[in-house]
Amino acid sequence: MDEPLADPSAVALYFVCNIASERVKVVLSGEGADEIFGGYNVYSEPNATAYDKLPRTVKRGIGSIASKLPAKRGVNFFVRKGKDLEERFIGNAYMFTPDERKTLLNVKTDAPDPTAITKPFYDKVKGMDDVTKMQYLDLHLWMAGDILLKADKMSMANSLELRVPFLDKEIMALAQRIPVRYRVTHKKATDENTKYITKYAMRLAAKKDTPKQTAKTAAKKKLGFPVPIRVWLKEDKYYNIVRSAFEGESGRRYFNTDLLVKLLDDHRAGKSDNSRKIWTVFMFLVWYRVYFENDGKY
């Protein structure tokens, strides 16, 4: 990786590329389709409920009250809806809040607040609808800094050339002209597991040339490339590997180890799903071990 990237799907992608490299030298991949056509489930969030129609001041007031209550699913809804998009959405990989970061780190950092990073991009789409703003942010931060980085490095690690046809400039130009209602529609999907239809125009186009069972107008809910780290981290083998890293010299130097171990133990006990937070810190420690402690060897 050369740099710490805590996207668990890199593990699965590495092995998929490894298998593909046994038969071919070049592959086509779908990176970019979700960002330009509106495929992520979170894009269906704006204006999805009657609550969204309440005055902004009312929602902010309710959100302020809700933020003082213990975090849980229903409460989190009101907290999120009480914030403007620019405050609550920084992309698909928001692991630690600034307050959590300060509590967890043993060292001082001048890392900026996440909103300071996103502001220049939001400024360029000021006045646009919320879905377009979210897509624009993901295109410039999430896709460039995670999705494409991961795809390039995992494929090249297996001597496999990976190309991304959805990011062709002509397709990008076409995607920019698609109205919001054809990117994410609030029509009810026919699949009982899917609330709204994302990537709507692309599904309609695919329906013309692919079998019905492959391209349904209301296909199932968007699913990423899941890697079962939440399960692995509860198993003795992987729990002990991660705990050893947390309690090691580098873990203690940079982090509040007691809090890290609590995140790990609470996850193992099923009190909360801390898998992504644990994985994020663990990936940093693995990277640090390779490049600063072991002369490039794990």
Side-chain angles (χ1 to χ4, degrees), residues 3 36 39 59 61 66 81 116 127 134 160 190 206 238 242 260 265 278 288 290 292 297:
E3 59 187 286
I36 66 174
K59 290 186 291 185
K81 292 294 184 179
M134 295 164 85
L160 184 70
T190 54
Y238 300 110
V242 174
L260 287 183
D265 286 344
I278 293 166
Y288 188 85
V290 170
F292 290 89
K297 297 179 182 178

Side-chain angles (χ1 to χ4, degrees), residues 184-215:
V184 178
T185 175
H186 287 152
K187 289 181 179 180
K188 293 291 183 180
T190 54
D191 181 346
E192 61 181 13
N193 296 315
T194 308
K195 192 172 183 181
Y196 301 115
I197 305 171
T198 58
K199 214 154 48 178
Y200 188 44
M202 187 177 177
R203 294 187 197 278
L204 291 175
K207 188 180 180 183
K208 297 177 182 179
D209 299 305
T210 53
K212 185 178 180 180
Q213 64 270 27
T214 303

Side-chain angles (χ1 to χ4, degrees), residues 41-237:
N41 297 315
V42 71
Y43 295 160
S44 66
E45 184 183 79
N47 302 315
T49 68
Y51 188 81
D52 291 291
K53 296 179 173 59
L54 289 176
R56 179 174 178 269
T57 51
V58 173
K59 290 186 291 185
R60 289 187 79 84
I62 295 173
S64 178
I65 295 170
S67 67
K68 295 177 174 60
L69 301 174
K72 57 177 67 175
R73 189 170 184 178
V75 172
N76 291 340
F77 170 85
F78 293 110
V79 173
R80 286 180 58 78
K81 292 294 184 179
K83 297 178 180 179
D84 293 333
L85 179 72
E86 290 79 0
E87 296 175 277
R88 71 174 187 264
F89 184 76
I90 74 156
N92 278 297
Y94 193 5
M95 293 297 108
F96 297 100
T97 67
D99 287 340
E100 288 174 326
R101 186 171 65 192
K102 289 176 184 177
T103 304
L104 198 62
L105 288 172
N106 270 344
V107 293
K108 291 184 178 181
T109 173
D110 59 357
D113 186 278
T115 55
I117 298 172
T118 59
K119 187 178 185 303
F121 299 100
Y122 276 126
D123 285 347
K124 290 184 179 179
V125 284
K126 194 174 290 184
M128 303 291 284
D129 62 89
D130 282 356
V131 174
T132 299
K133 289 179 179 179
M134 295 164 85
Q135 288 180 264
Y136 189 82
L137 196 72
D138 279 341
L139 273 168
H140 289 84
L141 294 177
W142 170 248
M143 190 178 72
D146 184 303
I147 300 296
L148 293 180
L149 181 80
K150 173 188 65 182
D152 180 56
K153 293 193 175 185
M154 295 301 95
S155 57
M156 283 291 99
N158 288 286
S159 300
L160 184 70
E161 183 177 342
L162 181 145
R163 297 177 183 174
V164 284
F166 282 116
L167 295 181
D168 178 88
K169 62 182 182 181
E170 292 185 14
I171 295 178
M172 288 286 292
L174 170 66
Q176 285 182 311
R177 300 196 299 270
I178 296 176
V180 177
R181 67 181 183 277
Y182 286 113
R183 283 177 259 153
V184 178
T185 175
H186 287 152
K187 289 181 179 180
K188 293 291 183 180
T190 54
D191 181 346
E192 61 181 13
N193 296 315
T194 308
K195 192 172 183 181
Y196 301 115
I197 305 171
T198 58
K199 214 154 48 178
Y200 188 44
M202 187 177 177
R203 294 187 197 278
L204 291 175
K207 188 180 180 183
K208 297 177 182 179
D209 299 305
T210 53
K212 185 178 180 180
Q213 64 270 27
T214 303
K216 297 178 182 177
T217 302
K220 65 181 182 180
K221 187 177 181 180
K222 160 71 179 174
L223 180 66
F225 201 175
V227 175
I229 56 171
R230 62 172 58 88
V231 177
W232 293 345
L233 290 169
K234 294 180 180 180
E235 297 175 6
D236 287 347
K237 177 181 178 180

Side-chain angles (χ1 to χ4, degrees), residues 95-97 99-101 103-105 229-230 233-234 238-239 242-243 246-247 255-282 285:
M95 293 297 108
F96 297 100
T97 67
D99 287 340
E100 288 174 326
R101 186 171 65 192
T103 304
L104 198 62
L105 288 172
I229 56 171
R230 62 172 58 88
L233 290 169
K234 294 180 180 180
Y238 300 110
Y239 169 88
V242 174
R243 180 161 183 159
F246 284 177
E247 295 181 329
F255 300 97
N256 182 326
T257 302
D258 290 342
L259 287 181
L260 287 183
V261 172
K262 187 177 188 309
L263 282 175
L264 190 59
D265 286 344
D266 285 352
H267 177 81
R268 192 185 201 190
K271 293 180 180 180
S272 54
D273 181 1
N274 297 325
S275 55
R276 292 296 302 275
K277 290 182 176 182
I278 293 166
W279 190 258
T280 297
V281 176
F282 181 56
L285 291 172

